[in-house]
Amino acid sequence: MTVTLNAYNVVAARCAAEYLGMHETIEKGNLIYKIEVFLNSSIFRSWKDSIIVLQTTKSLLPLSEDLKVISHCIDSIASKASIDVSRVDWSYTYNRKKLPEENGTDPKWNGVGNRPVVPKDWWVEDLCELEIDLYKRVIMSIKTQAVISHEVIGEALKAFALKRLPGFSKGMIPNGDTAKFRSTVDTIVWLLPADKCSVSCSFLLKLLKAAIFMDSGERAKRELVRRIGQQLEEASVNDLLIRAPEGETARYDVDTAQQIVEEFLMQEQNAEIESTAAHELQEVRRPGILSDASKLMVAKLVDGYLAEIAKDPNLPLSKFVDLAELVSGFSRPAHDGLYRAIDMYLKEHPGISKSERKRICRLMDCKKLSVDACMHAVQNERLPLRVVVQVLFFEQVRATATSGSSTPDLPKGIKDLNSASHGSSRSVTTNTEEDWDAVATLEELKALKGELASLRLGNGVGASDRNGGDSKGNIDKAAINKMKGLLMSKKIFTKLWSSKSGQGENSGSDSSGSPGSANPEEAKCTPSRNRRHSVS
């Protein structure tokens, strides 16, 4: 009987011959000898056949392992994957469509010239056909030979994840054999090269999402968090949005995002100080030390992330503030992104207290808001009054600036509005602090803006001609003094309306107005905490 050996049946034949004891001691040229010759002279010399044979060994364990068929296949595959691409003279992959010159159908190809360039990662797709345990051994063997770059190894792991984890490319979690998928994720994490540039931050975040969903080991998740933190400036907001585990009231896993940002900051703290040859201490700047550019990118990333998670009505204020404060020390030319996040949180959480509004608004610097952001802020009924006053002031300072100089520092009168002590307002009634932290209606905001503009115009006409360079300081001083007189009272906006309508006698009253008062303007201007909290 004639038996034709090929890559699909040679392992079975070898195991059967071993079971039957068909050795050379029984008969010269016995079956075991013939199969070994076929393996060494044909199978292990072929890239494609080596992979096919390795796949067939799984069903014949442990005998295929004992006969070293698996180890020989792995060595063959690893050596061929590590060869210089200029020496790859076989059809370097069987999972792609051959080029015309490879089929000999290209009339311009003479067999020598015009040879297609073989990419460095020519082998990664073929290895995706292997099961995870065999794939792990092959990649380990390739890494041991130390020929393939970390970037190519990373590309191989990415290709395997896309092949073996359905929906991975879209950040979706696969359904099916959870244990199998968990093993795949854990193995990929374990095989990641040490070089932080070997894989993208987006790929790492997709792995982290899968690891959290599959309930992978803490070691794998900690490793991913550490690596993501090292290259966080490459991430996008969508990548960083990790769904919270089932059973959580919050929509997103903010704790993991905070851990990632903390890992990013740890790079700065872990700067090594080494002793030089002259025994002098010198700070050694490594690639891990943060640059200003990377800090700015991460700050913008966190601002965008905060704006997204702020839409969650179940997000606690403490988590929002804690994450924002991690990057508060990063210098940013504008705070528009942070303002957008704060405004989104105030919009989605209208029931928070005055102290909470004050706490979240302290995160941003009103001097760093753009003109567009200022225009939005001065009409924002969700902001505390103290913030609106600061924004209005800086808007007016910018409007009156005649040169390209930087925005002046905040005068002490306005600074006191946002300070913890508020020492300048101790002589005012105890309700003043609550009034500053309250939110104003749209009509009150318009009145305040118009009053400040009229103050500046009134003090500015003719003053600049008489006082020269001191006019700007006088305008600011007059504006602050009059604002304090107008606003730092129990009935903050009464004087604003009276200054326009000429009803000064009503504005000077300390009484709150009788319950039966028929004056709608007076009733509307009374700073009621309940009314202001109703503004969404």
Side-chain angles (χ1 to χ4, degrees):
M1 183 177 64
T2 302
V3 178
T4 302
L5 293 177
N6 55 48
Y8 294 95
N9 62 16
V10 66
V11 178
R14 176 65 182 88
C15 291
E18 184 68 25
Y19 177 77
L20 296 173
M22 303 175 74
H23 300 279
E24 289 296 290
T25 55
I26 303 299
E27 183 181 349
K28 202 73 172 175
N30 214 334
L31 185 57
I32 291 179
Y33 171 77
K34 292 179 179 179
I35 293 177
E36 290 291 343
V37 171
F38 176 70
L39 286 170
N40 293 317
S41 63
S42 178
I43 297 297
F44 296 149
R45 292 188 177 188
S46 168
W47 167 257
K48 176 181 177 179
D49 289 343
S50 296
I51 294 177
I52 294 174
V53 169
L54 183 59
Q55 289 175 299
T56 62
T57 59
K58 192 171 183 65
S59 61
L60 295 167
L61 290 170
L63 192 53
S64 59
E65 186 74 72
D66 297 337
L67 296 175
K68 300 188 182 302
V69 176
I70 295 179
S71 61
H72 289 322
C73 285
I74 292 174
D75 291 341
S76 171
I77 295 171
S79 61
K80 288 177 174 57
S82 302
I83 197 172
D84 189 275
V85 293
S86 63
R87 296 172 56 194
V88 178
D89 54 2
W90 56 83
S91 177
Y92 55 83
T93 178
Y94 60 92
N95 283 326
R96 66 176 179 85
K97 185 178 180 180
K98 290 185 178 181
L99 299 175
E101 55 266 31
E102 293 177 291
N103 291 324
T105 58
D106 189 351
K108 297 181 180 180
W109 189 54
N110 56 12
V112 179
N114 299 327
R115 183 173 179 271
V117 177
V118 179
K120 293 181 178 180
D121 60 349
W122 61 266
W123 48 271
V124 301
E125 294 290 342
D126 292 342
L127 296 190
C128 293
E129 303 297 324
L130 299 174
E131 292 296 326
I132 185 63
D133 53 344
L134 294 176
Y135 181 83
K136 177 181 179 179
R137 294 177 63 177
V138 171
I139 295 297
M140 289 174 59
S141 181
I142 292 175
K143 292 172 69 175
T144 301
Q145 299 197 24
V147 176
I148 302 297
S149 66
H150 290 164
E151 289 77 9
V152 177
I153 297 292
E155 188 63 30
L157 296 176
K158 179 180 178 181
F160 189 81
L162 294 174
K163 180 79 172 181
R164 292 295 180 175
L165 298 173
F168 183 82
S169 60
K170 299 179 181 179
M172 300 172 59
I173 306 302
N175 295 320
D177 191 346
T178 304
K180 181 179 178 180
F181 292 145
R182 184 189 302 119
S183 175
T184 300
V185 171
D186 291 346
T187 300
I188 292 175
V189 174
W190 192 83
L191 290 172
L192 287 173
D195 187 6
K196 78 171 188 176
C197 299
S198 58
V199 292
S200 67
C201 189
S202 176
F203 174 67
L204 292 173
L205 280 163
K206 288 184 175 68
L207 277 179
L208 180 59
K209 292 176 183 178
I212 293 174
F213 182 82
M214 301 293 177
D215 196 21
S216 296
E218 288 299 321
R219 181 177 180 181
K221 287 185 281 190
R222 283 198 306 268
E223 175 64 14
L224 287 171
V225 168
R226 183 187 68 83
R227 295 179 66 100
I228 293 169
Q230 291 180 350
Q231 51 195 104
L232 184 57
E233 63 271 18
E234 304 172 13
S236 67
V237 173
N238 287 334
D239 290 334
L240 200 57
L241 290 174
I242 303 172
R243 301 293 298 187
E246 292 185 7
E248 296 286 339
T249 57
R251 187 180 304 169
Y252 298 108
D253 188 352
V254 183
D255 292 336
T256 299
Q258 183 168 339
Q259 292 173 14
I260 293 173
V261 177
E262 289 172 350
E263 284 291 339
F264 176 80
L265 298 172
M266 284 295 293
Q267 298 176 88
E268 190 80 0
Q269 300 174 12
N270 291 338
E272 293 181 348
I273 299 178
E274 298 179 354
S275 178
T276 62
H279 302 289
E280 295 179 356
L281 291 179
Q282 179 181 3
E283 183 176 348
V284 180
R285 294 192 65 84
R286 303 176 301 160
I289 303 303
L290 304 180
S291 64
D292 292 338
S294 63
K295 289 180 180 179
L296 179 59
M297 287 187 286
V298 170
K300 290 182 177 180
L301 172 67
V302 172
D303 289 347
Y305 178 79
L306 289 172
E308 289 298 321
I309 65 173
K311 300 174 184 178
D312 180 9
N314 295 320
L315 177 67
L317 177 68
S318 58
K319 290 191 176 184
F320 184 99
V321 173
D322 290 345
L323 182 56
E325 287 178 343
L326 285 179
V327 295
S328 61
F330 293 173
S331 177
R332 281 171 279 185
H335 275 204
D336 288 16
L338 184 57
Y339 167 69
R340 175 174 172 267
I342 292 172
D343 182 51
M344 183 63 66
Y345 190 90
L346 294 177
K347 179 181 179 181
E348 296 295 331
H349 303 79
I352 63 174
S353 65
K354 293 180 181 180
S355 60
E356 289 175 326
R357 288 178 186 270
K358 180 178 178 181
R359 181 184 178 192
I360 194 173
C361 289
R362 277 180 173 174
L363 295 171
M364 66 176 176
D365 186 351
C366 296
K367 289 185 293 184
K368 293 187 177 182
L369 294 180
S370 66
V371 175
D372 292 338
C374 285
M375 290 178 62
H376 184 277
V378 297
Q379 304 176 62
N380 193 340
E381 300 181 48
R382 293 182 285 271
L383 294 177
L385 180 59
R386 70 175 67 247
V387 177
V388 178
V389 171
Q390 292 181 46
V391 173
L392 279 170
F393 174 80
F394 286 115
E395 184 184 22
Q396 295 298 325
V397 169
R398 265 200 295 257
T400 55
T402 57
S403 64
S405 60
S406 59
T407 304
D409 288 336
L410 190 64
K412 185 177 185 302
I414 297 294
K415 281 183 178 179
D416 289 340
L417 302 184
N418 211 30
S419 64
S421 61
H422 297 276
S424 61
S425 62
R426 289 181 181 177
S427 60
V428 192
T429 60
T430 57
N431 287 335
T432 301
E433 179 68 16
E434 294 183 1
D435 291 334
W436 280 122
D437 292 331
V439 295
T441 64
L442 183 58
E443 290 79 7
E444 292 170 338
L445 292 176
K446 289 180 179 178
L448 179 59
K449 183 178 180 181
E451 182 67 22
L452 186 58
S454 64
L455 281 173
R456 189 162 299 283
L457 290 174
N459 284 277
V461 174
S464 58
D465 296 334
R466 294 189 303 269
N467 300 329
D470 296 334
S471 62
K472 187 174 183 298
N474 294 334
I475 293 173
D476 292 340
K477 184 176 180 180
I480 296 303
N481 290 335
K482 190 167 184 182
M483 282 172 61
K484 288 171 67 176
L486 289 172
L487 300 176
M488 301 289 282
S489 65
K490 190 173 181 180
K491 295 166 63 176
I492 295 177
F493 293 99
T494 303
K495 290 182 181 290
L496 291 180
W497 265 268
S498 64
S499 65
K500 295 181 180 296
S501 60
Q503 298 175 353
E505 64 275 11
N506 293 333
S507 64
S509 174
D510 288 334
S511 64
S512 301
S514 63
S517 174
N519 188 347
E521 201 66 43
E522 182 180 1
K524 185 170 72 171
C525 296
T526 302
S528 169
R529 286 194 293 271
N530 294 332
R531 172 178 55 79
R532 285 174 177 161
H533 271 293
S534 66
V535 179
S536 59

